[in-house]
Amino acid sequence: MAPVPSSEQQTGNGSVAALKNRIGNPSNPFYSPSLGDDNDAGYKYAGYKPSFPKVDWEPLQEIAVQDRGAFADPEKKALFSAAGKVKHLTPIIGTEITGIDLRQLTDAQKDELALLVAERGVVFFRDQEISIHEQLELARHWGPLHKHATTPVPKEPGLEEVHIVYNDASRRPDPTAFSKVDLWHSDVTYELQPPCTTSLKVITGPEYGGDTLWSSGYALYSSFSPGFQKYLEGLTALHSAVAQADGARAAGLHVRREPIESIHPVVRVHPVTGWKSVYVNPGFTRRIIGVPKAESDAVLQILFNTIANNVDHQVRFKWEENSIAFWDNRIVTHSATFDFWPNTRHALRATPHGERPESVADYEARTGKVAKDRQIDLWEKAGVELPEYRKTSLVRGYND
């Protein structure tokens, strides 16, 4: 199985020596004084460029976490009153907030931001001067930070909890190694306690290109018939780090923690919103447990292709330098466009651990509450009558 790049990063197979030659020639259109691993002079963020330290980390153990969104004001008055503008980018997913300096957030505003991210999937801010140290400290408010076993960390010491997304002219994308569907993922879902409210800040980017798309797991669940929803709720799936570790070793890199595989529910419930979300992704989900392979393959293909292809469930963000996104890895998947080569795209991620994924049955047994379909819940709260297509099997189209 070919290794699947994670967290928006792919490693090219081009000739690095040849590209360095071309980069160093000012008459060449690929010339840039900040490109290439050995050409850091004058690059403001050289200390945050990729390194792969040969260190070993102990296996992760289960840890207690408490979702800070549970402490938030449901109306988010502290956060929204400080904002210049709060704009939803689609009905389903994505919100952009202006007028807030993330360095000045109070604890109450941090809790409300976590709740907003849990409801909207991903929230964007632009023109943020927050440093990577401040970004890490903000992320710690939401949970203990994850350290990645295979992907790069900054050259600057003491930042092992930072995940780097970095591409330049020496890292040409290799479209023969994967399909675009394969690149959709939720970060490190193979962990026992995968991430919750995750942040990524772009510190260097191309003038255009390199957008990121997020797809809602809530909407994916809501899009299916009640019978298929109930079937999915009874399933579990294997999430694996093995291909990622094998890919790193094949590239001559040190794997800092041995890969693991975990079994998670195909439909999980967000602990704060109580909404059901499909929790599989092409990057790391390998098979459904306890069903014939043909059935597993067919179900996963339906889910994977809908994640990648249903644009009604997606939001697309055009990055600018100092833009930062916060997304809930429990209820969205994401993928980047690799249309910007040979330009540089450099971003830094902080990744808190969440709780162990909880099935519908386990959530309802633990809380005594009924887990909900997000779309139906929102319609009911708005006093909207349930559409006919949710009541019958009639097929209805639309015109555009």
Side-chain angles (χ1 to χ4, degrees):
M1 180 182 297
V4 178
S6 75
S7 301
E8 307 192 313
Q9 186 165 13
Q10 58 189 358
T11 303
N13 63 353
S15 168
V16 175
L19 282 166
K20 286 178 179 177
N21 223 14
R22 297 160 78 182
I23 293 166
N25 178 3
S27 65
N28 191 281
F30 292 157
Y31 173 77
S32 170
S34 67
L35 299 182
D37 280 341
D38 64 347
N39 197 356
D40 292 345
Y43 181 45
K44 181 178 179 181
Y45 300 112
Y48 303 150
K49 289 184 74 173
S51 70
F52 295 85
K54 291 186 176 181
V55 296
D56 294 309
W57 295 333
E58 293 295 320
L60 294 175
Q61 304 297 321
E62 188 166 5
I63 47 180
V65 296
Q66 190 168 22
D67 195 297
R68 294 300 309 179
F71 300 94
D73 171 11
E75 297 182 5
K76 309 169 194 69
K77 291 187 289 290
L79 182 67
F80 289 167
S81 64
K85 186 175 183 180
V86 178
K87 180 181 179 181
H88 295 329
L89 302 183
T90 82
I92 297 294
I93 181 174
T95 297
E96 185 168 346
I97 296 180
T98 61
I100 285 180
D101 184 340
L102 292 171
R103 297 172 297 181
Q104 305 300 322
L105 290 180
T106 65
D107 285 352
Q109 289 170 328
K110 294 172 187 176
D111 292 346
E112 291 173 12
L113 177 56
L115 177 57
L116 181 63
V117 173
E119 293 171 346
R120 296 293 302 165
V122 57
V123 177
F124 306 104
F125 298 82
R126 298 187 187 273
D127 303 317
Q128 295 294 319
E129 295 296 331
I130 187 171
S131 70
I132 184 55
H133 298 279
E134 293 166 328
Q135 183 182 346
L136 289 173
E137 192 59 31
L138 174 58
R140 288 190 187 99
H141 182 79
W142 298 315
L145 297 187
H146 178 261
K147 295 197 297 185
H148 206 293
T150 60
T151 57
V153 299
K155 292 180 178 179
E156 180 180 314
L159 292 175
E160 292 82 6
E161 293 166 324
V162 176
H163 173 88
I164 295 178
V165 175
Y166 184 86
N167 285 83
D168 63 18
S170 69
R171 293 164 167 81
R172 186 170 189 171
D174 178 11
T176 67
F178 43 80
S179 74
K180 296 304 289 186
V181 172
D182 292 335
L183 290 180
W184 282 89
H185 66 282
S186 176
D187 295 324
V188 298
T189 58
Y190 46 74
E191 301 290 15
L192 186 63
Q193 292 176 259
C196 56
T197 311
T198 302
S199 62
L200 184 76
K201 180 183 177 183
V202 166
I203 56 177
T204 300
E207 181 180 358
Y208 42 80
D211 299 353
T212 303
L213 296 90
W214 284 262
S215 180
S216 170
Y218 292 147
L220 180 58
Y221 176 87
S222 296
S223 70
F224 294 124
S225 66
F228 193 56
Q229 289 175 338
K230 183 60 65 175
Y231 167 71
L232 293 177
E233 289 175 17
L235 299 177
T236 57
L238 180 76
H239 297 243
S240 177
V242 172
Q244 191 175 58
D246 288 348
R249 290 190 175 106
L253 303 175
H254 180 69
V255 174
R256 299 183 288 273
R257 185 171 54 240
E258 286 302 306
I260 70 165
E261 295 182 322
S262 297
I263 295 174
H264 298 313
V266 168
V267 176
R268 70 180 297 178
V269 183
H270 193 285
V272 176
T273 67
W275 292 334
K276 305 173 189 179
S277 176
V278 173
Y279 192 63
V280 301
N281 68 91
F284 301 117
T285 308
R286 294 293 170 257
R287 68 178 184 273
I288 293 174
I289 302 300
V291 304
K293 184 178 186 302
E295 182 177 343
S296 172
D297 290 347
V299 171
L300 289 178
Q301 282 306 305
I302 290 172
L303 301 178
F304 294 166
N305 286 327
T306 307
I307 287 169
N309 297 327
N310 192 330
V311 296
D312 291 352
H313 299 173
Q314 298 173 6
V315 66
R316 179 167 177 156
F317 187 63
K318 174 178 170 47
W319 297 95
E320 299 169 348
E321 290 184 16
N322 289 336
S323 295
I324 187 168
F326 297 85
W327 69 94
D328 195 321
N329 261 301
R330 294 169 291 193
I331 49 96
V332 296
T333 50
H334 60 279
S335 186
T337 62
F338 287 93
D339 52 0
F340 56 90
W341 186 86
N343 295 299
T344 296
R345 184 175 181 272
H346 192 180
L348 306 176
R349 192 183 87 198
T351 316
H353 285 277
E355 74 287 348
R356 184 186 287 206
E358 193 169 36
S359 69
V360 173
D362 288 345
Y363 169 85
E364 293 182 343
R366 178 180 64 84
T367 65
K369 300 177 181 178
V370 176
K372 296 184 177 181
D373 179 323
R374 174 187 181 272
Q375 187 60 70
I376 291 179
D377 191 34
L378 293 180
W379 279 331
E380 289 177 345
K381 289 176 179 176
V384 176
E385 184 180 358
L386 194 66
E388 286 299 319
Y389 74 85
R390 298 295 299 189
K391 302 176 183 178
T392 72
S393 61
L394 294 177
V395 176
R396 299 182 182 272
Y398 60 89
N399 296 320
D400 189 356

